[in-house]
Amino acid sequence: MALQPKRRRTLIRVHFIALIGLLLLTPQAMAQAPAGGQAPAEAEQAADPFTVPEGATAEELMKFIANAKQNRGRTMETVTKAATAAVAGAEAIRKLKDVPERLQVAAIREEIAALSFLSQMNPAMKVKMSNLMKELEKSDNPTLARLGKMEAFKSKIASAARGTEAEQKAIIGEFKKMVGDKGIDRESYTLGSNLARSLSGNAELAASFYDQLADMMLASQDEAIKSRAENARGAARRMRLMGNEMEITGTTTTGEEFDWASYRGKTVLVDFWASWCGPCRAEVPNMKEQLALYGGQGFAIVGINLDNTLDACDKYVAQENLDWPNLFSMKDGEQGWNNPLVQYYGVSGIPTAILVDKEGKVVSLRARGQELNRLLKQLLGEPQGQVEAAAK
């Protein structure tokens, strides 16, 4: 899909910021230079951090990549130079013989991250990325071949939301084949979770895949993955809410049992949120405005809070003068992402805003911003409240 110039510039800026984040988070970027004197390759690198040192070993080339990233600066020009240097350094490592597998994998990951950024602006880099994926998939080294398949699969996940149901099912089949008899590991779990989220536009297919993913997770040898299987099962439950009733139980921040039955006959926004969540806070003004506009017509809001402490929730509620109930578990170990309703519905990102109609049936799993406004007008008609009365 062609992008308008303004949207394209925005996309490039997003990838620019994302690359900076990747550069900061990789272990190599945090490595410190040795206190002693520099080796010849390191001396050359210090003179020009973006020129690959000649005759360098794999270890020295990894240090070169780390150094190039440390000198990335804050402009598009310098970050592009750093990314280009990372690609060149990784290519140099792949040309060497007898490189330990861990360094090969580390170098390839650096190359993929840099190419992902550069390909947004340079079509030649997109071709280079494609060629690298093909080379990896054909590798005689099982680890590198699997890495290539994993990375190539990421691009399919990105396009899954726009595919037909047949295409989406084919991607699911490819994922299951990729996991195979070895079972799901942390990397394939991440891919599976991303794929499930990308299928959310097809709620029933997404629910079915979440259930399959949960079964794979339960069979995993990794206890951390196994422990999250019920969350995947909950996500399947959430995907099947459309057109069905939603169950809500718990206690409010004031310690009272929440009476969900009393909301029957109202149109209710169920908002999973936390005070530390920027997008959640950004949506609050619109929620308050819609409540002022449609409150007299039966619109109500119920919050499910994911803060780790009641104090954090209460402070934000008071600060923003939020006058709707918020559920918060007082039991040990049930705060934050361990909130029972978060687990039950497999919520893995916030804000998650679910709209329930007067009959108690879910009509939207993404009721935020203009989509919330559109749905309220569709369900309740023209607002009878005053915009001026909306609390900002």
Side-chain angles (χ1 to χ4, degrees):
M1 179 180 67
L3 296 176
Q4 296 177 4
K6 183 176 181 181
R7 290 184 64 194
R8 184 174 180 83
R9 288 195 298 271
T10 301
L11 181 61
I12 290 173
R13 283 196 295 270
V14 168
H15 283 277
F16 168 58
I17 293 169
L19 179 69
I20 290 177
L22 284 171
L23 300 181
L24 285 170
L25 289 172
T26 54
Q28 290 83 1
M30 295 184 286
Q32 299 296 315
Q38 294 176 317
E42 291 173 320
E44 181 180 345
Q45 164 184 331
D48 183 355
F50 302 129
T51 299
V52 179
E54 295 182 7
T57 65
E59 289 81 359
E60 289 170 337
L61 286 167
M62 288 302 295
K63 289 180 181 179
F64 158 74
I65 293 173
N67 188 65
K69 289 158 59 177
Q70 287 173 336
N71 286 276
R72 69 193 178 280
R74 293 181 178 274
T75 68
M76 181 67 79
E77 179 183 2
T78 56
V79 172
T80 299
K81 283 184 177 181
T84 303
V87 171
E91 287 178 338
I93 290 174
R94 289 196 290 112
K95 290 177 182 178
L96 296 176
K97 295 181 179 180
D98 301 322
V99 176
E101 187 178 273
R102 64 177 181 80
L103 288 180
Q104 292 184 57
V105 172
I108 290 169
R109 289 191 187 282
E110 295 282 8
E111 187 173 2
I112 290 171
L115 284 172
S116 296
F117 168 71
L118 294 170
S119 63
Q120 301 302 317
M121 300 164 287
N122 187 341
M125 294 297 126
K126 187 175 291 186
V127 173
K128 183 172 283 193
M129 171 75 95
S130 177
N131 290 339
L132 175 60
M133 294 300 102
K134 292 176 183 177
E135 180 182 335
L136 289 174
E137 289 186 62
K138 294 178 181 178
S139 174
D140 294 331
N141 184 314
T143 299
L144 299 186
R146 189 167 190 271
L147 175 60
K149 290 178 182 177
M150 291 281 192
E151 291 297 332
F153 193 71
K154 287 180 182 179
S155 63
K156 294 184 179 182
I157 291 175
S159 62
R162 301 187 297 274
T164 64
E165 182 167 328
E167 290 170 335
Q168 291 172 340
K169 287 181 177 179
I171 295 174
I172 291 174
E174 188 175 338
F175 173 78
K176 292 164 70 175
K177 183 178 179 181
M178 184 170 58
V179 171
D181 296 333
K182 290 184 178 180
I184 198 165
D185 58 16
R186 298 195 180 196
E187 192 164 16
S188 55
Y189 161 68
T190 299
L191 289 178
S193 297
N194 290 339
L195 174 57
R197 282 192 288 270
S198 73
L199 297 173
S200 60
N202 186 338
E204 185 50 45
L205 183 61
S208 174
F209 180 61
Y210 268 121
D211 276 333
Q212 294 174 61
L213 188 61
D215 290 338
M216 294 181 214
M217 294 165 69
L218 283 173
S220 174
Q221 300 301 311
D222 189 321
E223 290 300 321
I225 293 175
K226 189 178 293 187
S227 69
R228 294 193 57 79
E230 284 308 307
N231 188 267
R233 198 80 71 192
R237 185 179 295 115
R238 173 164 46 87
M239 287 293 104
R240 293 192 173 102
L241 281 176
M242 287 295 291
N244 296 308
E245 294 185 4
M246 183 177 188
E247 300 175 27
I248 300 180
T249 58
T251 57
T252 67
T253 53
T254 57
E256 300 171 332
E257 283 296 319
F258 179 69
D259 184 9
W260 181 227
S262 68
Y263 283 81
R264 184 59 59 86
K266 296 182 179 181
T267 299
V268 188
L269 177 68
V270 181
D271 181 45
F272 290 81
W273 72 285
S275 65
W276 47 260
C277 167
C280 301
R281 296 195 302 269
E283 183 65 16
V284 165
N286 185 57
M287 292 165 62
K288 293 166 72 174
E289 180 171 307
Q290 298 310 305
L291 188 59
L293 292 173
Y294 289 99
Q297 293 162 256
F299 175 52
I301 300 174
V302 174
I304 313 296
N305 183 262
L306 276 74
D307 278 305
N308 290 317
T309 66
L310 178 60
D311 184 58
C313 175
D314 284 344
K315 282 184 177 178
Y316 185 79
V317 167
Q319 173 188 316
E320 295 297 326
N321 193 27
L322 306 184
D323 57 356
W324 54 80
N326 281 283
L327 275 65
F328 185 97
S329 178
M330 308 293 183
K331 296 180 181 179
D332 289 342
E334 292 188 354
Q335 290 74 48
W337 293 103
N338 293 322
N339 181 300
L341 285 172
V342 171
Q343 294 292 311
Y344 186 72
Y345 286 115
V347 174
S348 59
I350 54 175
T352 289
I354 299 173
L355 191 64
V356 181
D357 68 12
K358 292 182 177 181
E359 284 70 47
K361 304 295 179 62
V362 171
V363 295
S364 175
L365 299 176
R366 298 180 175 181
R368 297 173 54 197
Q370 291 303 311
E371 178 65 5
L372 170 63
N373 304 355
R374 182 188 70 79
L375 287 167
L376 289 177
K377 188 173 183 179
Q378 176 182 309
L379 294 169
L380 301 175
E382 292 294 333
Q384 297 176 8
Q386 297 296 317
V387 174
E388 291 77 14
K392 300 293 183 181

